[in-house]
C-alpha cells in the first residue's frame, strides 16, 4: 500500500456536480488501497448497490399551491440546533483520504453546523478532533467495544472527557464482512488508531484482524454497561429488524441507528432504506432514529425523513470531499445535500423538516 502522505493534501473549494463526479475525482487522490477500503462493499456488492437503488422503491409526490417559499432545513434535535437533518456518520481512518484526517473533517462539519460522529478507529485522538471542531460543536462517539472492560471504561471516560454527547454502539460488525477488494489489494492499515491503541494498534493489520481484537459477542447487557458507566444516551447502530428494536429499547437504548454498514457487512441483506419503515413502525416515535447507507441525493434524505428518520448520516461522500478539499471540501459536500434537499422540499410543498415528516411517499409499483 502506498504511504498515507500520498493521500489528499489540498485545502480549498472543489468542483463537482454530483456525488458520482466527486467519487471519480477522489480516485485520483486517494491511494488505491485506501480508496478500495473506503469505497468497497461485501461479497458480490448486491447490498451495496441496493442501498442506492432502494430509494426508488418510494416516490416523492410533488405538491403545488402550498404557499411554500425558501424552505427551512433547520433541525431542532435534543438540545441542538442543526443546519439540516444531516450529520456525519462514523468512518474509520480519515487519514487514508487526507493528511489532516479527522481534524479537517471535524472542522468542516462544525462549520456546516451539525453533529460529528467520531469513530473508535479514527486516525486522530479525541482531543485533536474536539479541538478542530471547537468545544461547542456537538460530537458523538462511535464505540467498538473491547473484550476488556477495563479498556472499555477508559475509552468511555475519554469520550466523555472530550465532550461526547452520545455513544453509538456499532453492533453489526462483530466480524468483518467479506470485503474482497481489500483482499485483492492486500490492504492493511498504514495508520495508527490512537483512540484504541491500548489494545489495537491498527498499523499493518487487516480489517478482519482489527475486528477480531474487539468484542465479538454483544448482548443487551452491553447497552446497560455503557449507559451505567458513561451516563450518556446510547444509540444502537446496525438495526434493521423489529426484533432488534425491541431488544435494544428493552435494554435502555435511547436511540436507534438504521444501517447496514454501507453494504460492507452482510451481502445479500436488505437495503437500509427498505428496512427503515419496519424499524420506524417498531420504534413508534419512542426514541430518535438515525439513518445511513447509500445516501447520494437530497431526494434520498427527504425520503428517509418522510419514512421515519430524524437524522440522516453521510459517510463515503464526506470522505471523498475531504480527500479533495480538506475541511472546505467536506463542508461543500454537506452544503450540496442541504441545497438539494431545499429544492426537493420546495417542489414537494414542504416548508420545514417537520413538514417532511408528515409527507406521504408513493410506492413505486413499477419498480421490479
Amino acid at each position: 500500500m502506498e504511504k498515507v502522505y500520498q493521500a489528499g493534501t489540498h485545502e480549498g473549494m472543489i468542483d463537482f456536480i454530483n456525488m458520482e463526479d466527486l467519487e471519480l475525482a477522489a480516485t485520483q487522490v486517494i491511494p488505491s488501497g485506501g480508496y478500495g477500503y473506503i469505497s468497497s462493499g461485501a461479497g458480490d456488492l448486491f447490498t451495496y448497490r441496493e442501498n442506492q437503488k432502494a430509494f426508488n422503491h418510494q416516490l416523492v409526490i410533488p405538491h403545488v399551491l402550498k404557499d411554500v417559499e425558501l424552505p427551512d432545513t433547520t433541525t431542532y434535535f435534543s438540545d441542538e440546533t442543526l443546519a439540516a437533518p444531516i450529520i456525519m456518520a462514523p468512518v474509520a481512518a480519515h487519514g487514508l483520504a487526507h493528511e489532516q484526517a479527522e481534524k479537517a473533517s471535524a472542522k468542516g462539519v462544525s462549520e456546516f453546523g451539525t453533529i460529528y460522529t467520531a469513530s473508535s478507529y479514527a486516525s486522530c485522538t479525541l482531543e485533536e478532533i474536539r479541538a478542530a471542531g471547537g468545544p461547542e460543536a456537538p460530537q458523538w462517539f462511535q464505540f467498538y467495544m473491547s473484550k476488556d472492560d477495563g479498556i472499555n471504561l477508559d475509552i468511555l471516560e475519554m469520550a466523555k472527557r472530550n465532550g461526547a454527547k452520545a455513544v453509538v454502539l456499532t453492533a453489526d460488525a462483530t466480524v468483518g464482512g467479506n470485503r474482497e477488494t481489500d483482499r485483492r489489494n492486500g490492504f492493511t492499515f498504514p495508520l495508527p488508531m490512537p483512540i484504541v491503541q491500548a489494545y489495537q494498534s491498527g498499523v499493518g493489520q487487516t480489517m478482519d484482524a482489527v475486528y477480531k481484537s474487539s468484542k465479538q459477542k454483544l448482548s443487551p447487557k452491553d447497552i446497560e454497561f455503557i449507559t451505567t458507566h458513561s451516563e450518556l444516551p446510547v444509540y444502537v447502530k446496525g438495526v434493521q429488524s423489529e426484533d432488534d428494536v425491541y431488544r435494544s429499547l428493552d435494554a435502555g437504548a435511547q436511540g436507534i441507528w438504521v444501517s447496514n454498514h454501507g453494504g460492507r457487512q452482510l451481502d445479500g441483506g436488505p437495503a437500509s432504506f427498505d428496512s427503515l419503515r419496519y424499524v420506524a413502525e417498531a420504534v413508534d416515535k419512542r426514541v430518535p432514529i438515525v439513518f445511513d447507507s447509500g445516501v447520494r441525493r437530497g431526494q434520498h434524505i427527504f425520503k428517509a425523513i418522510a419514512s421515519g428518520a430524524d437524522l440522516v448520516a453521510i459517510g463515503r461522500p464526506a470522505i471523498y470531499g475531504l480527500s479533495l478539499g480538506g475541511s472546505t471540501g467536506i463542508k461543500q459536500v454537506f452544503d450540496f445535500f442541504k441545497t438539494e434537499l431545499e429544492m426537493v422540499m420546495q417542489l414537494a410543498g414542504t416548508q420545514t423538516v417537520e413538514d417532511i415528516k408528515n409527507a406521504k411517499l408513493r410506492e413505486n409499483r413499477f419498480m421490479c
Side-chain angles (χ1 to χ4, degrees):
M1 159 106 190
E2 301 94 87
K3 292 183 180 178
V4 69
Y5 59 75
Q6 294 178 335
T9 60
H10 179 69
E11 172 66 46
M13 297 291 288
I14 53 181
D15 184 24
F16 65 95
I17 300 296
N18 58 31
M19 294 299 106
E20 290 185 5
D21 291 349
L22 191 72
E23 181 171 359
L24 181 62
T27 64
Q28 306 303 308
V29 177
I30 305 173
S32 59
Y35 172 75
Y37 168 76
I38 294 163
S39 66
S40 65
D44 296 323
L45 304 181
F46 170 82
T47 300
Y48 169 85
R49 295 188 178 108
E50 286 296 304
N51 276 338
Q52 291 185 51
K53 291 168 59 178
F55 287 106
N56 291 326
H57 294 167
Q58 298 289 322
L59 306 175
V60 178
I61 304 172
H63 286 288
V64 300
L65 305 179
K66 293 274 291 198
D67 197 26
V68 169
E69 183 179 22
L70 302 175
D72 183 7
T73 63
T74 303
T75 301
Y76 303 100
F77 184 86
S78 186
D79 59 347
E80 304 292 347
T81 300
L82 310 178
I86 313 167
I87 70 172
M88 180 69 205
V91 179
H94 293 201
L96 294 172
H98 194 276
E99 66 173 6
Q100 289 299 305
E102 287 84 2
K103 290 179 287 187
S105 300
K107 182 174 184 288
V109 171
S110 175
E111 289 175 349
F112 174 77
T114 194
I115 296 167
Y116 181 89
T117 311
S119 170
S120 288
Y121 298 148
S123 308
C124 298
T125 66
L126 286 177
E127 287 80 5
E128 290 173 321
I129 294 169
R130 186 184 188 194
E136 302 304 317
Q139 293 190 5
W140 292 357
F141 176 65
Q142 177 219 26
F143 193 26
Y144 283 95
M145 294 190 75
S146 166
K147 297 171 183 176
D148 183 328
D149 279 343
I151 293 174
N152 289 329
L153 291 174
D154 287 344
I155 293 175
L156 288 173
E157 192 280 328
M158 183 194 310
K160 193 170 180 179
R161 183 175 70 245
N162 284 284
K165 295 191 174 184
V167 175
V168 180
L169 174 62
T170 292
D172 65 348
T174 52
V175 66
N178 182 22
R179 304 181 194 178
E180 295 176 353
T181 297
D182 289 347
R183 289 160 57 194
R184 289 192 181 95
N185 288 335
F187 175 75
T188 60
F189 281 96
L191 306 167
M193 296 177 175
I195 295 171
V196 295
Q197 63 187 359
Y199 72 97
Q200 178 57 259
S201 71
V203 178
Q205 295 186 305
T206 65
M207 196 68 231
D208 282 344
V210 170
Y211 280 149
K212 285 177 181 177
S213 72
S214 300
K215 189 172 184 179
Q216 295 178 282
K217 185 179 179 181
L218 296 176
S219 76
K221 292 182 179 179
D222 294 303
I223 298 174
E224 298 169 9
F225 176 90
I226 297 168
T227 302
T228 298
H229 293 287
S230 72
E231 300 179 331
L232 293 172
V234 176
Y235 284 68
V236 179
K237 184 175 184 290
V239 175
Q240 298 184 70
S241 73
E242 300 96 318
D243 288 346
D244 287 350
V245 169
Y246 304 139
R247 191 176 299 111
S248 298
L249 296 188
D250 287 347
Q254 296 184 45
I256 295 294
W257 193 310
V258 180
S259 172
N260 59 25
H261 222 96
R264 297 164 70 81
Q265 286 299 98
L266 178 62
D267 195 33
S272 192
F273 182 67
D274 284 343
S275 296
L276 175 58
R277 65 187 179 106
Y278 297 103
V279 171
E281 288 173 3
V283 169
D284 194 24
K285 300 182 180 179
R286 288 178 287 172
V287 298
I289 295 174
V290 183
F291 169 87
D292 75 35
S293 298
V295 177
R296 298 295 185 273
R297 287 286 186 185
Q299 289 92 325
H300 299 165
I301 295 170
F302 186 100
K303 290 177 181 181
I305 299 295
S307 298
D310 294 285
L311 299 174
V312 175
I314 305 302
R316 290 182 180 97
I319 301 304
Y320 299 145
L322 169 69
S323 74
L324 295 160
S327 63
T328 302
I330 204 165
K331 181 178 182 295
Q332 269 188 270
V333 169
F334 278 82
D335 285 336
F336 166 90
F337 282 115
K338 179 177 181 289
T339 299
E340 201 164 70
L341 176 61
E342 290 168 342
M343 176 196 69
V344 178
M345 290 172 68
Q346 176 77 47
L347 296 175
T350 50
Q351 184 70 51
T352 67
V353 174
E354 286 301 312
D355 292 337
I356 302 175
K357 292 181 179 182
N358 294 319
K360 302 296 183 184
L361 303 179
R362 180 179 296 166
E363 183 179 355
N364 183 357
R365 297 180 180 178
F366 299 99
M367 187 80 180
C368 296

